[in-house]
Amino acid sequence: MKKTLLIFFSLFALLISISLFCQCPECDTSNFILSIKPEDSDYLYYGLFQNIFDSCGVSYEIGEFRIVDATGSIRRIYLEFDSTIVSDDSPYKYENETSPFVGILGSPTKGIDTILSSVLKTQIFIYPPNSKIRFYRVLEAYKNCDVVKRDTNLSYCDEIPNISSFFLIEKNNCIIDTSEWVLYLIRASDGQIITIIDSVGFLPNQNCPFAPAYGTNPYRMNQEIDLPNQFANEPVYIKLSVRRYGPSPFGMFFNPTHGRVSSSSIREYDATNGCEFGYKCNFKISWFEHYYYRKVIEYLDSIAIVKNRPPCMSEVPALWFFSKDSNFVDRILSRYFQYDSVNNFYYNTFCRDQYDSILGRFPPPEAFTFNKTPKDNIFISNLITQMKENSFELKLKVTSVSPLSIKDGELTNCQFNIYNYYGKLLFSKNNLNLKLETWETLTIPFKLARGVYLVTISNQNFPKVLSRFFFVK
């Protein structure tokens, strides 16, 4: 009996340990960089290079460069694209009705691709001694379509790691070129190559069902490389050299890509931790859609509070990331903007801009003058709100930089109004007396729903209408 119990508990402990080992960890959202704030959105651009053959292809994607100094402090290094090559009217743009591939087409000449080697580099930066460079880089091979027949006579390949979903193509002699990508550290003063930071590529697969990758840690997405101390404190930048050797008659394709979450925070080849291939944490699109939606709302609400006005359309993050089957885009836009049901678009009365539902882009707003930092002599300097059980309380303070312009430091017989974002009057109170630099408490006899509101204070003997936006959480 004791032996039976011992065996049972030993097996139970083993199953528990296996379950714990294989359980994919939850994503640490504190490491996320989201494409919401402009500086974050600009950072989440990547360069995608593809060498496409008849029935398969290989790709290389690079981005998220960061300097890590000896103290562990991290500084972002942004990508720069050559606008003479990477643009809608680029002479190198390839677009064919019979081909599903669109992008910048590189040189068909074997060796270094002089076109694609010019499309991408980092901004110029300076690093201190004992620094490292981190970046995200992913290699991938794929079949061009599901109708490609799998070869029945597939040979065995040596030294292929267990990451088949990224490198299995199931087709012999499919990859006919050697594709290579080399990252150089360049001295900015004279364009001199200092060192090779990273070099990876793909070889022709011949009789192997996998795409054979080679170079510096090709089976790792997140890289960290020591930078040479002898060039510390000098202006430098990183540039990519693109090479292709083989009989393929066309060059590689290039496209800039834009992510809505930092790939380095969620992706890696190794799936031994129980995660899906290509992920290092339990990243689910359905969960992330809701998370991203909440963060967009938080950001736009903060604009209303900090800038004392509703957000302009041009300040709304890119919304085409959301699934077409979700209603997140309408929920975001209807929260802040009015809807023209006749012409089928949202618009902003104050900033005078509108959302282009076809392009998913925002035209630049006209000059905005409403409620900027006051340069005149009197304004609402502070405002605090509080929700009560059956009412809403608003405390405000009026400040004047030249008190002599206000008799006895008091505004008398004022009219107080509250409007919702669409301009509808919700509450009004007359004959209100306000003393300068004194907190005044006003009670609205009903609750206000979550959203952006405008409070105005007017007086017939004073030409200025005092106004300030506030947000109800």
Side-chain angles (χ1 to χ4, degrees):
M1 180 66 179
K2 289 183 179 179
K3 289 184 178 179
T4 303
L5 287 174
L6 180 61
I7 293 172
F8 172 78
F9 283 116
S10 297
L11 288 173
F12 180 74
L14 178 62
L15 290 173
I16 290 295
S17 63
I18 292 174
S19 175
L20 291 174
F21 176 76
C22 295
Q23 185 176 4
C24 182
E26 295 302 317
C27 295
D28 184 356
T29 57
S30 66
N31 293 327
F32 282 5
I33 301 173
L34 302 175
S35 186
I36 295 177
K37 298 178 181 178
E39 63 273 19
D40 294 337
S41 180
D42 290 344
Y43 181 66
L44 294 183
Y45 276 97
Y46 306 81
L48 174 64
F49 298 82
Q50 300 178 82
N51 200 0
I52 303 167
F53 310 103
D54 289 341
S55 54
C56 66
V58 295
S59 67
Y60 167 99
E61 190 172 26
I62 187 78
E64 290 188 53
F65 289 91
R66 304 87 64 226
I67 295 296
V68 185
D69 66 20
T71 67
S73 177
I74 298 175
R75 176 165 51 96
R76 297 177 187 176
I77 308 298
Y78 289 78
L79 283 182
E80 295 179 351
F81 301 103
D82 188 333
S83 59
T84 64
I85 301 176
V86 186
S87 63
D88 290 338
D89 56 354
S90 169
Y92 305 103
K93 183 177 180 180
Y94 177 86
E95 193 169 10
N96 192 314
E97 293 181 357
T98 62
S99 172
F101 302 107
V102 177
I104 303 302
L105 182 60
S107 171
T109 304
K110 298 177 180 62
I112 296 177
D113 189 321
T114 55
I115 299 173
L116 297 189
S117 293
S118 300
V119 299
L120 181 152
K121 65 178 182 179
T122 69
Q123 62 182 177
I124 295 174
F125 61 93
I126 296 174
Y127 64 89
N130 302 315
S131 292
K132 300 176 184 292
I133 182 78
R134 287 180 186 170
F135 56 93
Y136 169 82
R137 180 254 288 152
V138 57
L139 297 172
E140 190 169 355
Y142 50 86
K143 295 182 293 184
N144 285 342
C145 56
D146 293 334
V147 299
V148 173
K149 292 184 178 180
R150 175 178 177 175
D151 278 333
T152 56
N153 183 21
L154 294 176
S155 302
Y156 177 77
C157 307
D158 294 327
E159 300 179 358
I160 297 294
N162 185 26
I163 46 177
S164 59
S165 63
F166 283 90
F167 298 90
L168 179 63
I169 49 179
E170 299 180 334
K171 188 73 175 176
N172 289 341
N173 298 303
C174 173
I175 301 171
I176 60 176
D177 285 348
T178 294
S179 309
E180 189 172 84
W181 300 271
V182 181
L183 279 177
Y184 288 127
L185 184 66
I186 308 288
R187 186 163 52 202
S189 60
D190 57 6
Q192 181 67 36
I193 296 174
I194 294 174
T195 187
I196 294 176
I197 292 177
D198 186 58
S199 178
V200 291
F202 284 103
L203 295 169
N205 72 315
Q206 300 179 352
N207 291 323
C208 178
F210 291 89
Y214 68 91
T216 312
N217 300 319
Y219 303 121
R220 186 187 304 163
M221 294 184 187
N222 295 287
Q223 306 291 325
E224 183 174 279
I225 310 293
D226 291 329
L227 291 171
N229 279 336
Q230 61 267 39
F231 298 101
N233 299 317
E234 285 193 41
V236 295
Y237 62 91
I238 295 171
K239 187 175 182 180
L240 181 67
S241 176
V242 181
R243 298 119 182 249
R244 187 183 62 84
Y245 308 93
S248 176
F250 296 101
M252 292 189 198
F253 279 95
F254 168 77
N255 281 290
T257 62
H258 194 202
R260 62 171 170 174
V261 60
S262 48
S263 295
S264 63
S265 64
I266 61 173
R267 299 199 67 196
E268 190 50 83
Y269 289 122
D270 187 10
T272 57
N273 58 0
C275 300
E276 294 182 12
F277 275 113
Y279 289 91
K280 60 182 179 182
C281 60
N282 187 24
F283 185 82
K284 301 296 183 184
I285 293 297
S286 57
W287 163 83
F288 182 74
E289 289 259 300
H290 287 82
Y291 175 82
Y292 190 81
Y293 164 75
R294 294 195 302 271
K295 291 300 179 180
V296 170
I297 293 297
E298 287 179 14
Y299 172 67
L300 295 177
D301 286 351
S302 69
I303 289 177
I305 296 172
V306 173
K307 295 189 176 183
N308 187 29
R309 61 162 174 79
C312 294
M313 284 289 187
S314 58
E315 294 169 319
V316 176
L319 301 181
W320 54 266
F321 289 116
F322 287 110
S323 168
K324 294 181 179 180
D325 297 330
S326 73
N327 63 347
F328 288 128
V329 173
D330 282 328
R331 288 168 65 180
I332 291 171
L333 294 176
S334 62
R335 181 184 181 88
Y336 306 101
F337 310 116
Q338 292 177 278
Y339 182 69
D340 185 335
S341 58
V342 176
N343 297 299
N344 193 30
F345 65 79
Y346 290 91
Y347 65 95
N348 184 309
T349 304
F350 296 108
C351 300
R352 299 181 294 280
D353 52 5
Q354 68 185 50
Y355 175 72
D356 191 324
S357 58
I358 297 176
L359 297 177
R361 296 186 301 209
F362 308 103
E366 298 178 30
F368 183 82
T369 58
F370 189 82
N371 256 3
K372 285 190 174 181
T373 302
K375 295 181 180 180
D376 43 12
N377 61 344
I378 186 168
F379 54 94
I380 301 174
S381 57
N382 289 283
L383 191 149
I384 299 174
T385 62
Q386 184 177 6
M387 190 75 72
K388 299 293 186 178
E389 184 176 356
N390 294 308
S391 60
F392 185 83
E393 189 175 87
L394 189 148
K395 296 181 179 180
L396 58 83
K397 183 187 293 186
V398 175
T399 296
S400 175
V401 295
S402 53
L404 295 178
S405 63
I406 307 298
K407 185 177 180 180
D408 298 326
E410 184 177 30
L411 291 173
T412 59
N413 298 321
C414 296
Q415 180 170 334
F416 170 84
N417 293 331
I418 291 182
Y419 301 86
N420 66 9
Y421 178 75
Y422 305 117
K424 180 181 179 181
L425 179 63
L426 301 179
F427 178 78
S428 181
K429 185 174 182 179
N430 298 321
N431 302 320
L432 181 69
N433 296 333
L434 296 175
K435 291 185 178 181
L436 298 180
E437 300 297 341
T438 302
W439 285 103
E440 299 288 345
T441 301
L442 300 165
T443 301
I444 294 92
F446 52 83
K447 289 185 175 182
L448 293 180
R450 182 175 180 176
V452 179
Y453 296 86
L454 175 69
V455 55
T456 66
I457 300 173
S458 58
N459 181 292
Q460 62 179 359
N461 297 321
F462 192 76
K464 176 180 172 59
V465 176
L466 309 183
S467 61
R468 180 163 180 153
F469 284 96
F470 65 93
F471 176 70
V472 178
K473 296 183 178 181

